[in-house]
Amino acid sequence: MRWLAAYLPAFVLDLHERGTATAVPLAVAGGVPGREVLTACNEAAGVRGVRAGMSRDTAHALVPELHVVSRDEAAEAAALRNLAAWAGQFSDVVSIEPGRGLLLESGRSLRLFGGGRRLGRLVRQGLATLGFEAWVALAPTARGSWWLASRSRGTCIADREALERRLRALPLTVMALSPRVLVDLQALGLSTLGDLEALPRDGLARRLGAGVLRQLDEALGRRPEARRPHVPVPRFHAHLDLPAPVLEQQALLFPLRRLLLELAGMLRGRSAGVSRFRVGLDHGGGRTTAVDVGLAMADDDGERFLELLRHRLERVDLPAPVERVAVDAPELRTMVPVTGDLFEAARVHDGRREAALLDRLAARLGDAAVCGLVPVPDHRPERAWRAVPVAPGRRDVSEAPAHPLRPRWLLAEPRLVASPGEGPEALSLVGGAERIEGGWWDGHDVNRDYYVAEDRDGRRLWLYQERRPPHGWYVHGLFG
């Protein structure tokens, strides 16, 4: 078994910074309301003298435009759950380290992703696109990989012997110890895990409790470690608070892209797609602008989601600056993986290209401008079909009534022509005839004989002759 640990060293700060591409002075405050102190600040604030431990008032006096947010542990936990769902694309067992990162059981994923180093790089780069810095380590034990990740940016260890050597050099602070126990150990002159391991186990257990030895044994692989796997919920919801209100649609795409990539990763991990999602633009004061994005076919492509959303946003007038963006996909659809073919000439056709075209047209022109056609049981050609909305995920497969050969392109109005064999068009009949009578019940009575004809250039036309005087000939359709 191999575990990949993704330690997020600046998780709380990243959570609030990833809503903008521009670095603004930002700090996170915690503690008792009214007496909060800063627990972290970003580089833009740090270079101007802001430090952790300062009070809000002191920090604001130093940097008036400093943006201070209070810690929200519920929001942090929700964000980690979304990241765990996103990581499901790399492993079927993902465990959350509360407040700090993720652990992925990766033994079954190494071959699929081309080895441990490449897998670690993919996870690190993927988290970076979502706005989170990650330190990654791969090791034979979960706790060992976590301790290594918390101390270095990239580690890949394949065997137990190498893991033990690396762990023995780590400081005691990587362990989950109470401050009192840590002080006691340091008072004994211990500074590394190797120092701790060298002590007599019985005496250590009596003095500090069994928990210290348990952590050490789990990290070294001498006893199994039970970890609770994350179970994703069957929907997606994520939001981002923006450091400063935004009034331009294009500026909203940056934070929304991160949420949509998060959604896409979660979908890939579940072999699912969505055919509709909603973007909420919160203006504060209970005012929200909702933008619905529908797809003709369920998909899991985050960049495609963003492209469709960009077109939709161009047609939205924002009534006020946006303070928070959110993405909600309440319904996930199971997707059947498309199996490729060895030969390029035999590409699998699954309708995705056509669906993508429909989605782009609807996003650019509006839903009302794009429609589909379904057959109607009526012999009159102009009434044998009707337009229907291209609803998200809808694929009408209506059974068309059986008819003799008919063209797919009907003229909006039949065009009067000379009789076959006469006139400049020199039409000649090559097939037919189909007699169509009907419509007396709705006032659109027709009484025609249809034929297939060719003009002098070989183009096939669909002609009819009125059976009523003056028995004129008309072109009604064109064959492809």
Side-chain angles (χ1 to χ4, degrees):
M1 185 173 287
R2 304 284 294 279
W3 286 86
L4 187 146
Y7 176 76
L8 310 178
F11 171 66
V12 178
L13 268 178
D14 289 343
L15 192 59
H16 296 282
E17 277 197 294
R18 69 186 191 126
T20 177
T22 305
V24 297
L26 183 139
V28 178
V32 180
R35 290 183 294 171
E36 291 180 318
V37 296
L38 305 189
T39 58
C41 64
N42 66 359
E43 186 177 353
V47 297
R48 303 180 66 174
V50 177
R51 296 288 182 270
M54 285 183 174
S55 67
R56 275 179 178 255
D57 294 340
T58 303
H60 273 133
L62 195 63
V63 183
E65 67 272 26
L66 178 68
H67 183 64
V68 181
V69 294
S70 297
R71 283 201 64 176
D72 184 345
E73 294 185 359
E76 294 168 14
L80 267 183
R81 287 196 294 272
N82 280 341
L83 287 183
W86 169 87
Q89 64 185 308
F90 300 108
S91 169
D92 57 348
V93 179
V94 180
S95 180
I96 294 176
E97 276 290 312
R100 295 186 295 175
L102 305 171
L103 277 161
L104 289 68
E105 199 289 302
S106 52
R108 292 185 293 274
S109 306
L110 295 181
R111 176 171 294 184
L112 176 63
F113 291 99
R117 294 189 182 280
R118 184 169 185 272
L119 175 60
R121 187 167 62 250
L122 290 174
V123 171
R124 187 174 62 250
Q125 291 173 347
L127 287 169
T129 62
L130 301 182
F132 294 98
E133 181 188 6
W135 296 356
V136 174
L138 187 73
T141 67
R143 193 176 294 277
S145 67
W146 180 254
W147 287 353
L148 289 169
S150 68
R151 300 295 299 179
S152 59
R153 293 177 182 273
T155 305
C156 185
I157 294 177
D159 56 75
R160 294 278 180 86
E161 291 75 15
L163 175 64
E164 290 184 5
R165 288 196 299 273
R166 293 292 298 272
L167 290 180
R168 289 188 181 110
L170 294 180
L172 294 174
T173 51
V174 299
M175 301 181 72
L177 301 174
S178 67
R180 183 188 64 80
V181 171
L182 186 60
V183 169
D184 288 347
L185 291 174
Q186 291 172 340
L188 293 173
L190 308 179
S191 61
T192 66
L193 298 183
D195 297 337
L196 185 66
E197 188 193 14
L199 293 178
R201 294 176 61 88
D202 293 342
L204 191 63
R206 283 196 304 272
R207 187 180 182 115
L208 302 176
V212 175
L213 283 177
R214 179 180 54 79
Q215 287 188 48
L216 194 60
D217 289 344
E218 288 174 349
L220 294 170
R222 294 170 182 168
R223 62 180 294 173
E225 178 183 2
R227 298 202 65 87
R228 177 178 295 178
H230 170 70
V231 180
V233 297
R235 66 174 298 166
F236 178 85
H237 175 83
H239 69 264
L240 265 178
D241 292 318
L242 305 181
V246 174
L247 190 55
E248 297 179 0
Q249 290 93 333
Q250 288 299 316
L252 294 173
L253 293 175
F254 181 82
L256 286 170
R257 177 175 183 267
R258 289 184 158 166
L259 296 184
L260 292 175
L261 292 179
E262 209 170 285
L263 167 63
M266 186 268 271
L267 293 174
R268 285 194 291 272
R270 304 189 61 171
S271 298
V274 293
S275 57
R276 176 177 291 278
F277 62 88
R278 167 170 288 190
V279 171
L281 308 175
D282 191 342
H283 306 288
R287 296 174 301 168
T288 301
T289 298
V291 182
D292 290 315
V293 179
L295 293 87
M297 180 181 290
D299 205 342
D300 61 358
D301 188 339
E303 296 295 347
R304 185 170 167 233
F305 295 162
L306 183 69
E307 178 194 357
L308 298 178
L309 177 60
R310 178 185 293 113
H311 296 317
R312 300 266 177 179
L313 279 178
E314 289 173 354
R315 300 163 52 233
V316 172
D317 292 325
L318 297 176
V322 178
E323 300 177 0
R324 168 186 283 195
V325 296
V327 173
D328 189 36
E331 185 179 358
L332 311 186
R333 294 172 180 265
T334 301
M335 290 178 63
V336 178
V338 177
T339 303
D341 195 279
L342 180 63
F343 304 102
E344 285 292 315
R347 288 182 181 276
V348 175
H349 179 81
D350 63 351
R352 289 175 181 268
R353 294 178 62 183
E354 293 83 354
L357 174 61
L358 283 175
D359 293 337
R360 281 196 293 271
L361 290 172
R364 279 184 174 274
L365 306 176
D367 291 326
V370 181
C371 63
L373 302 178
V374 294
V376 173
D378 194 314
H379 289 285
R380 294 168 292 179
E382 55 269 58
R383 296 182 180 275
W385 55 271
R386 64 183 173 88
V388 295
V390 182
R394 178 175 181 169
R395 293 179 62 78
D396 284 307
V397 187
S398 304
E399 191 69 27
H403 291 299
L405 181 63
R406 289 187 174 184
R408 294 190 182 276
W409 185 359
L410 287 184
L411 300 184
E413 293 290 339
R415 178 167 60 89
L416 182 63
V417 295
S419 302
E422 300 178 1
E425 295 179 285
L427 302 176
S428 58
L429 302 182
V430 296
E434 177 189 4
R435 176 160 295 176
I436 298 177
E437 294 182 80
W440 54 266
W441 54 86
D442 60 8
H444 298 281
D445 189 15
V446 300
N447 194 345
R448 305 165 179 165
D449 284 336
Y450 277 87
Y451 302 88
V452 178
E454 278 187 1
D455 64 11
R456 65 178 62 193
D457 297 323
R459 290 178 297 188
R460 289 210 160 193
L461 313 173
W462 204 37
L463 295 186
Y464 72 81
Q465 183 184 24
E466 286 282 4
R467 300 190 66 242
R468 301 189 184 97
H471 305 292
W473 287 83
Y474 295 85
V475 175
H476 201 179
L478 306 173
F479 292 92

